[in-house]
Amino acid sequence: MPSNQNYELVSLIEEAEVCFLDEIYAIIKDRTSDPYFGVEQLAECMKLSRSQLSRKFIELDGVSPGKRIRQLKLHNASQRLSVSSDPVKKVAISCGFLSYNSFWRAFYQEFHCSPTNYRALRLQNKVRSGFIWSIEVLVDDNEEFRLFVHQRAWLHKLFALLINAVDKEAIALEVISKELYMSPSQVIRKLKAALAITPMKLQQQLRLLYAADQLMHSPYSIAQIAIRAGFFDQAHFCHAFKQLFGNSPSDYKKKGSKLDYLSVLHGLLI
């Protein structure tokens, strides 16, 4: 059993890591309008070498500092497009981009939508503040849902995390919250606000989508698929499957499906 001193040391390390990221985010947000602010300047502010900053930041945040700087600039731009009538070129310059072309390319890569179309969608109230998560979202609202997910880095990361583990051991809420740099209660609250579902329920449903794909394309039996999808017994799996799809696994397989759910989700995350 670890000693209390060890627990206290771990807590101090985690607190220092959170403070490190908070300081970086504060600096970036303060300089988002500066087109010449990049990793080199951020490293100087943090009194670290560029390589030290990149190594530590990637370890804690999962992406390079350069990518995060760009994402925060683009997030700032998306907010301005939503609330102002300024020309797109003016928004690009005010958000730290040297040219309209570089802004357009970066914006499209991030949101899968041009700045002009993004603004139009916002004006038409087609970019929502929340979805009611269901498998119908993948059929009926692909582009809208894609934009919704890409607007929220934490939600994009959550989907990637859960999808990558659909055929592995279930991920505990504590692990999810650590990966997203939130408390467990924050994760639950934010996900409920965004998709009206809890993290554990979403994880189970993604595993059921994986199981549905396996039923259509793999040689495994229903019992084997249940185990591969993380269910301890076939009865529990069949009950959960019928609740989501309205059919038992065997009936679903007989009926057939033209939709590969995880392929659709992977497409949304790219």
Side-chain angles (χ1 to χ4, degrees):
M1 178 71 70
S3 66
N4 288 335
Q5 288 88 346
N6 285 340
Y7 279 125
E8 290 171 3
L9 178 60
V10 169
S11 297
L12 287 172
I13 292 172
E14 290 179 346
E15 184 178 346
E17 291 173 345
V18 170
C19 290
F20 175 80
L21 286 175
D22 285 346
E23 184 178 357
I24 285 180
Y25 275 107
I27 292 170
I28 295 174
K29 288 178 180 178
D30 190 50
R31 302 282 294 275
T32 51
S33 62
D34 183 354
Y36 301 103
F37 180 76
V39 181
E40 199 70 48
Q41 291 71 29
L42 180 59
E44 289 177 10
C45 293
M46 295 299 294
K47 296 181 172 56
L48 295 170
S49 70
R50 180 174 180 143
S51 60
Q52 284 176 319
L53 172 69
S54 295
R55 184 170 60 251
K56 187 170 183 180
F57 190 84
I58 291 171
E59 179 185 341
L60 296 177
D61 202 38
V63 299
S64 68
K67 183 173 182 179
R68 189 61 78 206
I69 289 171
R70 189 183 76 162
Q71 286 179 334
L72 289 174
K73 286 186 175 185
L74 291 169
H75 175 74
N76 190 25
S78 72
Q79 295 295 104
R80 295 196 181 202
L81 287 169
S82 302
V83 300
S84 81
S85 58
D86 291 337
V88 175
K89 287 184 179 180
K90 184 175 180 180
V91 172
I93 293 170
S94 68
C95 292
F97 289 86
L98 286 170
S99 73
Y100 171 76
N101 288 338
S102 64
F103 169 68
W104 194 99
R105 287 193 299 270
F107 195 95
Y108 193 89
Q109 286 176 353
E110 183 70 17
F111 295 105
H112 296 266
C113 182
S114 72
T116 303
N117 287 341
Y118 179 92
R119 170 175 275 166
L121 286 170
R122 291 292 296 188
L123 291 174
Q124 295 168 24
N125 293 318
K126 287 188 176 179
V127 178
R128 309 181 187 181
S129 60
F131 270 82
I132 302 298
W133 166 260
S134 69
I135 58 176
E136 283 74 21
V137 165
L138 303 179
V139 179
D140 299 329
D141 293 311
N142 277 352
E143 292 306 315
E144 190 178 351
F145 188 68
R146 181 202 300 274
L147 183 58
F148 182 83
V149 172
H150 279 271
Q151 280 183 294
R152 296 157 177 78
W154 67 270
L155 186 57
H156 187 278
K157 187 172 183 179
L158 175 62
F159 268 107
L161 182 69
L162 296 181
I163 289 171
N164 287 336
V166 289
D167 59 347
K168 302 178 180 66
E169 186 177 346
I171 306 175
L173 178 59
E174 289 74 16
V175 176
I176 292 172
S177 61
K178 186 175 180 181
E179 289 289 331
L180 298 181
Y181 298 100
M182 300 179 193
S183 68
S185 60
Q186 280 180 303
V187 176
I188 293 171
R189 187 170 63 252
K190 284 176 74 75
L191 188 58
K192 278 188 173 181
L195 299 180
I197 194 171
T198 65
M200 295 301 102
K201 189 68 174 177
L202 178 62
Q203 180 168 207
Q204 184 195 64
Q205 291 198 3
L206 292 178
R207 288 169 176 264
L208 289 168
L209 297 183
Y210 163 77
D213 292 348
Q214 289 287 298
L215 284 168
M216 299 310 303
H217 303 296
S218 80
Y220 299 112
S221 67
I222 292 174
Q224 289 172 317
I225 290 172
I227 293 171
R228 290 172 67 86
F231 290 84
F232 291 108
D233 62 77
Q234 187 173 336
H236 179 213
F237 166 68
C238 290
H239 176 72
F241 191 96
K242 189 168 184 179
Q243 278 190 320
L244 182 61
F245 290 98
N247 292 306
S248 68
S250 57
D251 288 341
Y252 181 90
K253 188 169 185 176
K254 290 175 185 175
K255 185 179 178 181
S257 172
K258 295 181 180 179
L259 188 66
D260 291 336
Y261 290 102
L262 287 191
S263 295
V264 172
L265 273 172
H266 277 300
L268 293 173
L269 295 176
I270 293 174

